Amino acid sequence: MSSRGKKIFLAITIIVPMIIYCYIYYKPIIQNAPFRKKDFISMEYKWGIKDNLENHYNSATGEYQYVTGADSVIKKKIFLKNDDILYMHSKANEIGLWNFPDTIGRKSEKSMAVPRYDILFKYKEKTKHVVIYGDFDGNPKLLDAAVQMRKVIDQTLLQAEKRSAK
């Protein structure tokens, strides 16, 4: 067999099947990615003690309400920029929010001061809703990731609030 024939044989037996395999394997993953930035509709974030979630933000309506340390309720209209949404979306991808269980922690009847956080990302085809309870005693890596996501949202809202005050 000539040198050229060997190269053609190598290409047909190794390279072509590898390309076909990659196409078959990755095509559904890329097509079915439900949490794409371009499909983003809105984000809702609620937090509070136990079932009393009096602090909340809704990116679709811009409604932002929170209770200060002096027990006064502050209501504002704050809209996120495209950059803010892109930042939160990329951080959610990086942290792995899409792989989180729907509930992190458990609802405890013992303590009255257990914080609870509800995070809801809405997309055209899917939504991701995660409830985080403060009395989590499971995998510490999961708790760290959830706390990190919560901090990203808090920081983004704080920046948007500062921007709107100017």
Side-chain angles (χ1 to χ4, degrees):
M1 190 182 281
S2 69
S3 175
R4 185 169 185 245
K6 288 179 184 179
K7 289 178 184 178
I8 293 171
F9 177 75
L10 179 67
I12 290 173
T13 58
I14 295 175
I15 297 171
V16 172
M18 187 63 175
I19 291 172
I20 293 170
Y21 169 77
C22 289
Y23 177 78
I24 291 170
Y25 182 78
Y26 288 109
K27 184 182 177 201
I29 292 172
I30 293 169
Q31 282 183 336
N32 294 330
F35 302 108
R36 293 181 297 248
K37 160 64 174 91
K38 67 178 183 174
D39 294 341
F40 179 81
I41 295 174
S42 69
M43 185 267 304
E44 293 180 28
Y45 177 56
K46 300 176 186 176
W47 68 99
I49 304 298
K50 291 197 98 176
D51 290 334
N52 188 11
L53 303 176
E54 54 193 14
N55 305 303
H56 60 85
Y57 176 73
N58 185 336
S59 69
T61 62
E63 291 180 27
Y64 184 42
Q65 174 182 314
Y66 61 94
V67 179
T68 64
D71 289 337
S72 61
V73 176
I74 307 292
K75 292 183 179 184
K76 295 181 177 184
K77 283 262 189 203
I78 297 175
F79 290 97
L80 297 176
K81 290 184 175 179
N82 247 358
D83 292 343
D84 296 331
I85 293 168
L86 179 62
Y87 174 72
M88 283 194 307
H89 180 78
S90 65
K91 279 300 198 180
N93 276 335
E94 180 183 316
I95 293 169
L97 178 72
W98 319 129
N99 300 323
F100 282 11
D102 292 339
T103 304
I104 299 173
R106 66 182 180 281
K107 193 174 185 178
S108 176
E109 299 299 325
K110 296 177 187 174
S111 177
M112 292 303 291
V114 175
R116 176 180 158 192
Y117 305 93
D118 280 11
I119 302 171
L120 177 69
F121 280 87
K122 292 182 183 177
Y123 290 83
K124 286 181 182 176
E125 298 173 9
K126 278 193 167 185
T127 61
K128 180 64 179 177
H129 184 221
V130 178
V131 179
I132 305 166
Y133 290 100
D135 60 343
F136 182 71
D137 60 356
N139 184 350
K141 289 182 180 179
L142 180 61
L143 179 62
D144 288 344
V147 168
Q148 190 177 0
M149 189 65 216
R150 183 183 60 80
K151 286 181 181 178
V152 164
I153 295 171
D154 286 338
Q155 290 171 352
T156 305
L157 290 177
L158 184 63
Q159 289 173 354
E161 183 180 15
K162 284 180 183 177
R163 226 181 11 247
S164 70
K166 291 180 182 180

